[in-house]
Amino acid sequence: MFLTKLSRLNPNPLLLILTRHLSNPSKLHDRYSFKPPPSLSPNTQGQNPNHNNPKKKQKPQYRPPSSLDRTGQKPIHSDLPFDFRYSYTESSPTVRPIGLREPKYSPFGPGRIDREWIGVCAPAVDPKVRSVEGAEEDPQLEEKRKRRRQKVQGEPLTPAERKILVDKCQRPKTKRQINLGRDGLTHNMLNDIQNHWKHDEAVRIKCLGVPTVDMKNVCTQLEDKTFGKIIHRHGGVLVLYRGRNYKPKKRPVIPLMLWRPHEPIYPRLIKTTIDGLSIEETKEMRKRGLAVPALTKLAKNGYYGSLVSMVRDAFICCELVRIDCQGLEKSDYKKIGCKLRDLVPCILVTFEKEQIVVWRGKDYKPLEDGYFLPDRELFDNPEGDLVSGEEGCGNSDGNSSEKEFDSGEE
């Protein structure tokens, strides 16, 4: 540093020669056997010192792990005897959509499972079938699910065993819980239930939001898709038992969905004119419906288990019923209206101003079936069959009885 400053102030030929000798490593090596370190070598600046060493292997470039990278791996095979859907309670296989909002990209990832995604579900058909759109569902799938459920359940629980399991699942005893929200029973929730069954024989499931309008469907789908049995219900809180012969090491293979698929396009719920009425009569009915006093106001993510019975009772004296849904998501009260249309049954009039207005129709006859579930249930009949088909938990054939039990939920 000092020599360079002097050379700039007074360029002396002697100093120039000295700096040339110091900067040339070959001359230093010849005269003084001096080897410069690799950092000062001009040929290796910015390079790895072991770059020319053929014995040392170069490390491969780091790649973050990805679930989509399945090079050299076979597709996942699952022997579950039902179609894979995003939601089993909020989608019906009997209702066909009129279109799709996106291409048929499998939400399980490309090539991860041996089932083909058809835009709505992944059918449980032979993967060698070229076109699954025209393939009918195997009529023996329901029988396979029934046999498998009976094999896992084994002998029914005694009332004392049920009471012990229900006590263990109450809030003061454990914090383990699965929340079932507006999407209902989703496919990935099946894996969560299996994970809880590793540690406990029963799991507590809390249901809130849109699916609670039809709790019978929720109970049916839970038992049908998990092969478990509901041993207690209080409002929207369920206790799901895994079965006597359940073995965690032999749990079914459940491939996970990596993203939520877009919902398909279904026909419009509200038509321009109501069937049997003219355009002017439809407009007049919508005005009257919005002016009717509200039957109830729905809370966001609440429990709506008694909504259908309230609408049925209101139709005895009123032909139009209005339900206040202010604060709810638009998709939520549309799904609630769709469920009311099928369960009451009734005719949807309008969804304007965050209100659900329904009409009982011209020839309305109140239903007399025992569809609804009691507010609190303990399944104490050891010979009670599992929920399947049209039989619900809480049917009137005596398989389940309503009993008072100090569950600790209040």
Side-chain angles (χ1 to χ4, degrees):
M1 192 73 177
F2 178 71
L3 294 176
T4 53
K5 286 183 179 180
L6 288 176
S7 62
R8 290 176 183 174
L9 296 174
N10 188 11
N12 193 348
L14 182 61
L15 293 175
L16 293 174
I17 296 171
L18 182 59
T19 53
R20 287 175 185 175
H21 279 288
L22 291 175
S23 61
N24 194 346
S26 61
K27 292 183 180 181
L28 291 174
H29 176 69
D30 295 340
R31 294 186 181 183
Y32 308 106
S33 300
F34 172 77
K35 291 184 179 180
S39 60
L40 297 179
S41 178
N43 298 328
T44 60
Q45 285 184 355
Q47 297 182 3
N48 190 355
N50 299 324
H51 179 72
N52 297 326
N53 190 0
K55 295 183 180 180
K56 190 170 183 179
K57 295 182 179 180
Q58 295 290 329
K59 292 183 179 180
Q61 189 176 4
Y62 173 75
R63 292 183 61 186
S66 174
S67 57
L68 299 178
D69 188 11
R70 299 186 56 84
T71 56
Q73 299 183 16
K74 294 182 180 179
I76 300 174
H77 174 70
S78 178
D79 58 349
L80 291 174
F82 54 84
D83 300 345
F84 291 164
R85 295 177 174 271
Y86 175 73
S87 177
Y88 296 104
T89 58
E90 303 307 301
S91 61
S92 175
T94 58
V95 180
R96 293 185 60 87
I98 59 176
L100 300 176
R101 300 181 188 273
E102 63 176 358
K104 299 177 183 179
Y105 295 132
S106 175
F108 297 96
R112 291 188 70 245
I113 62 173
D114 58 356
R115 298 189 184 188
E116 185 176 352
W117 182 259
I118 61 173
V120 180
C121 65
V125 296
D126 188 358
K128 296 182 180 179
V129 177
R130 294 183 179 180
S131 177
V132 296
E133 293 182 356
E136 297 181 357
E137 185 180 1
D138 187 1
Q140 299 180 354
L141 288 179
E142 186 176 354
E143 187 65 25
K144 288 180 182 179
R145 293 197 296 269
K146 186 176 180 180
R147 290 198 304 266
R148 188 165 181 174
R149 191 184 306 115
Q150 292 175 353
K151 183 179 179 181
V152 172
Q153 289 297 315
E155 297 181 1
L157 294 172
T158 62
E161 291 174 334
R162 291 169 189 258
K163 187 173 181 180
I164 292 173
L165 290 176
V166 172
D167 284 342
K168 288 182 179 179
C169 291
Q170 300 311 315
R171 193 177 297 276
K173 301 290 183 65
T174 180
K175 294 183 179 180
R176 293 181 178 273
Q177 175 178 291
I178 293 179
N179 296 320
L180 191 146
R182 66 174 59 174
D183 293 331
L185 177 62
T186 59
H187 179 78
N188 289 355
M189 197 178 292
L190 302 179
N191 187 65
D192 296 338
I193 294 173
Q194 300 289 336
N195 291 337
H196 278 73
W197 279 347
K198 284 183 182 179
H199 310 282
D200 299 312
E201 294 183 79
V203 58
R204 184 174 73 234
I205 301 175
K206 187 173 184 180
C207 307
L208 291 175
V210 179
T212 59
V213 176
D214 191 2
M215 282 301 297
K216 182 178 179 180
N217 181 40
V218 173
C219 297
T220 303
Q221 293 298 330
L222 275 171
E223 294 192 348
D224 188 55
K225 299 301 185 293
T226 62
F227 310 117
K229 183 170 181 61
I230 296 174
I231 59 176
H232 175 71
R233 188 184 72 83
H234 180 203
V237 179
L238 311 173
V239 177
L240 186 64
Y241 173 59
R242 68 183 186 181
R244 287 189 186 273
N245 301 330
Y246 179 84
K247 297 180 181 179
K249 293 184 179 180
K250 295 183 179 180
R251 56 182 286 182
V253 179
I254 303 176
L256 298 179
M257 286 190 177
L258 303 182
W259 62 82
R260 176 179 179 172
H262 287 282
E263 293 184 0
I265 303 173
Y266 290 100
R268 293 186 59 182
L269 295 175
I270 305 295
K271 299 181 180 180
T272 306
T273 57
I274 300 175
D275 295 338
L277 300 179
S278 63
I279 297 179
E280 294 183 356
E281 291 175 343
T282 302
K283 291 181 179 180
E284 182 64 24
M285 181 170 291
R286 286 172 180 165
K287 289 181 180 179
R288 288 195 297 116
L290 293 174
V292 169
L295 176 65
T296 182
K297 186 180 188 316
L298 300 183
K300 188 175 183 181
N301 294 330
Y303 175 70
Y304 314 137
S306 60
L307 183 62
V308 178
S309 59
M310 292 173 63
V311 175
R312 285 186 178 182
D313 294 342
F315 276 160
I316 297 176
C317 58
C318 304
E319 63 173 355
L320 287 173
V321 172
R322 178 171 67 91
I323 302 171
D324 190 358
C325 301
Q326 290 185 357
L328 272 68
E329 298 287 340
K330 187 175 182 180
S331 60
D332 287 355
Y333 59 77
K334 281 190 174 183
K335 290 179 181 178
I336 293 174
C338 182
K339 290 178 181 290
L340 291 176
R341 181 195 62 183
D342 299 333
L343 298 176
V344 172
C346 58
I347 300 173
L348 295 174
V349 177
T350 183
F351 287 132
E352 294 179 1
K353 299 180 181 180
E354 298 183 350
Q355 308 291 319
I356 299 176
V357 179
V358 292
W359 179 44
R360 67 182 182 183
K362 294 182 178 179
D363 301 327
Y364 176 75
K365 295 181 180 180
L367 299 179
E368 298 179 356
D369 59 346
Y371 171 84
F372 302 105
L373 305 178
D375 183 63
R376 186 192 296 253
E377 280 183 307
L378 260 180
F379 300 81
D380 281 340
N381 186 3
E383 299 179 357
D385 296 333
L386 292 160
V387 175
S388 61
E390 297 181 355
E391 297 180 359
C393 30
N395 47 7
S396 57
D397 57 357
N399 287 342
S400 61
S401 59
E402 179 183 3
K403 294 190 178 182
E404 290 299 327
F405 181 72
D406 187 10
S407 61
E409 291 291 337
E410 297 178 355

